[in-house]
Amino acid sequence: MAGGFASSDLGKRAKLYNGRITSYFILACLVGSLGGSLFGYDLGVSGGVTSMDDFLKEFFPTVYRRKQAHLHETDYCKYDNQLLTLFTSALYFAGLLSTFGASPVTRKYGRRVSIMVGAVSFFCGGAVNAAAVNIAMLILGRILLGVGIGFGNQAVPLYLSEISPPKIRGAVNQLFQLTTCLGILVAYIINYFTERIHPWGWRLSLGLACVPATVMFVGGVFLPETPNSLVEQGRLEEARRILEKVRGTQKVDVEFQDLKEASEAARAVKHPFRNLLRRKNRPQLVIGALGIPAFQQLSGMNSILFYAPVIFQSLGFGSGAALYSSIITGSMLVLGALVSMATVDRVGRRALFMEAGIQMILSMVVVAVTLALKFGHGESLSKGLAALLVVAICAFVVAYGWSWGPLGWLVPSEIFPLETRSAGQSMVVCVNLFFTAAIAQCFLASLCHLRWGVFLLFASLIVIMSLFIFFLLPETKQVPIEEMFHLWEDHWFWKRIVLSDGGDEKPPPPNKPAPQ
C-alpha cells in the first residue's frame, strides 16, 4: 500500500495510559502555544508595513516613488527591491542560525527555558524596530526577532507534542498553528488601522510585537516543564509529579515507564545530530527534517502571507483595499486551522494533506490564468477579475490552513524518537527558516520576472509535495510517540532501510503491548 499504514498493534499500549483533560494541562497548552503568536504576528505585520507609504518614504524612497507611479495599475515589479526584501528575510536567516543554539538549550535545560529565551529576544527585536531611525536598526531588530523565532519554533511544537495524550496530540499541537494564524490576522487588522496614522503608524505595528512576547514570558514563569524533558534531565521524581498533575491521576505507571525507557535510549546517544544520519532514522530525516519543512515553504503560502498587501497593490488594488483583502485571507487561515484541529485526529494527517494539495493546485492555476488574461504593465483589473483573485487566494489559504500549515509542524514533532527529538526539531526549524528566508528574498524578484508564471511554479511544486506525502508518509494519528518506530518497520518503502541498520547505538527493546 502506498501509504504504508500502521499495523493493528500500533497504539495498543497507549490504551493503557490513564488520565483526563485537566485545567493544569489546558493552561500549559495555552501558554505554550503562544509561541505561535510571535511567529504569526511577524508574518502578518511585515508585509503590511512594507506597503505603508510612511515607512517606504523614510527607508525606501525609490520603492515609494515607483509605487506611486503605478498605484492603481498592474505592475509586477513595483516592489522589486532586494534591500526591502532583506528587511523581511533577515529575521528568517537569523532564526535559521539561532536554532542550532536552541537545540542544546532545549535538551539540557528544557523546553520551557527555550520558550522564555525566545520571548525575551522577540521583545527586544520589537522594541528596536519600533524605535528604528535607519535601515541598520531595522535589520538589527529583525535579527533579534529571528533569534526569538528560532528558539520559540524549536521548543513550542516539542512542548505541545510531549505534554499531550496520544489521542488528542494532533489537535493540541495545532494550537501552535492556530495562534500563528490568529497572530497573522491580528497583525493584518492592526496594519489596516495604523496605516491611517501618519507618520508613525508603522512604528506602532512593529512595536506591538512586544505584547505577545511579554505575555509568553510571564506565562512561561508558571509553565510546567514537560515530563519527557524532566526524565531526559534525570529529574525522575519531579517528572512523575508533573505527569500526575497534567494527567489528573496517580495511575501513570505505564506512560511513565515508557518515558523512562525512551530516556535511557536517548542517553545512550552521545551525538544526536550524527545519529539523525543513521539508517534507522532515515525516514525521520527525509520526511520530518528535510521534506516537510522545505515543502511547507515551497507551497508559496508564506510568500502570500508576507506580501499579501504588496501582491494586491501590485495587481492594482488601492492601499486600503489591499490591507482589507489581507484581513480576509487572514480570516481564512484561522478558519482552516480550526477545521484542522477538529478533524486531524479523526480523518488523519494524510487525508488532509491530499485533499488540500488538490485544492491548492487548482487555486494557483486559477490565479495564474486570471493574471495571464491581463498580462503586462499598466493595465487595471476589472472588479470581477479582482474578486476572482481574492476568492482563489482565499481557497488556497484555507486549504493550507488545514494541511501544510499545522501539519508541517505537527508531523515532524511527533515522529522523532526522544534521543534525536531536540536535534531533529532544530533541523526542522533550520530547513523551514532557510526556505522561508529564500522565498521571502526571491519572491518579489520572481513576481517581477516570471509574473503570473510564478503561481504556476508554485502549483507544480505542490504536485511534487502531494506525491511525496502519498508515497512516503504513513498515517501517524493516535500513535504514541514512543511507538512511532513501528510505522517505519511496517512501511512498504522504509522497512527495507530501517531494518537494515546494523549500528551499535541501538535503544533497548520497547515493551510489548499488554495482552488484550
Side-chain angles (χ1 to χ4, degrees), residues 447-476:
L447 182 63
C448 177
H449 295 289
L450 296 178
R451 304 185 180 186
W452 53 270
V454 72
F455 297 100
L456 285 183
L457 174 62
F458 286 137
S460 301
L461 290 171
I462 296 169
V463 171
I464 296 172
M465 293 157 47
S466 299
L467 292 174
F468 176 87
I469 292 297
F470 182 76
F471 287 109
L472 296 183
L473 178 68
E475 183 54 65
T476 60

Side-chain angles (χ1 to χ4, degrees), residues 63-108:
V63 177
Y64 172 74
R65 289 192 293 270
R66 189 190 308 157
K67 172 187 171 181
Q68 294 305 308
H70 303 278
L71 183 60
H72 298 291
E73 300 172 348
T74 303
D75 186 345
Y76 294 100
C77 300
K78 68 172 72 171
Y79 286 96
D80 182 20
N81 181 285
Q82 288 301 297
L83 193 58
L84 177 62
T85 54
L86 182 62
F87 166 75
T88 297
S89 59
L91 179 147
Y92 302 100
F93 286 120
L96 185 157
L97 297 176
S98 68
T99 188
F100 289 106
S103 177
V105 172
T106 301
R107 189 177 191 190
K108 185 175 181 180

Side-chain angles (χ1 to χ4, degrees), residues 56 117 308 372 391 444-445 452 495 507:
L56 293 175
V117 169
V391 170
L444 290 180
W452 53 270
K495 65 182 179 181

Side-chain angles (χ1 to χ4, degrees), residues 362-376:
L362 293 176
S363 298
M364 285 293 94
V365 171
V366 169
V367 171
V369 171
T370 302
L371 295 182
L373 296 176
K374 286 292 183 180
F375 179 81

